[in-house]
């Protein structure tokens, strides 16, 4: 089994951090295809803040992993 391993994306709903979503949405699918990975193993901090995330942020993160 080939794994693509990544960590510490630190998503937030701050507009200045929107590039993080674009980067992940662009490069993760490319890397999965390029290296024929069977799964993405995510380690580390997914969001910048610990809790009380806006629903828009949660929905966008869920969409990435779905």
């Amino acid at each position: 089994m080939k794994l693509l391993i990544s960590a510490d994306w630190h998503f937030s709903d701050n507009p200045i951090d929107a590039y993080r979503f674009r980067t992940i949405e662009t490069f993760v699918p490319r890397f999965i295809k390029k290296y024929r990975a069977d799964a993405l193993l995510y380690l580390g901090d997914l969001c910048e803040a610990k809790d009380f995330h806006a629903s828009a942020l949660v929905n966008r993160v869920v969409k990435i992993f779905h």
Side-chain angles (χ1 to χ4, degrees):
M1 173 182 269
K2 288 185 182 180
L3 295 175
L4 178 62
I5 301 172
S6 188
D8 296 322
W9 293 345
H10 290 272
F11 290 129
S12 76
D13 54 2
N14 186 340
I16 201 164
D17 295 331
Y19 73 93
R20 295 175 187 173
F21 283 102
R22 290 189 304 273
T23 301
I24 296 305
E25 291 166 345
T26 300
F27 289 106
V28 168
R30 286 184 191 175
F31 291 151
I32 288 172
K33 185 175 181 179
K34 179 178 180 178
Y35 296 108
R36 292 183 277 208
D38 298 307
L40 169 66
L41 180 61
Y42 184 80
L43 310 169
D45 300 326
L46 183 57
C47 293
E48 190 69 33
K50 181 178 177 182
D51 49 16
F52 302 110
H53 303 294
S55 60
L57 174 64
V58 173
N59 289 336
R60 193 161 183 192
V61 170
V62 168
K63 183 178 176 186
I64 287 172
F65 281 96
H66 186 263

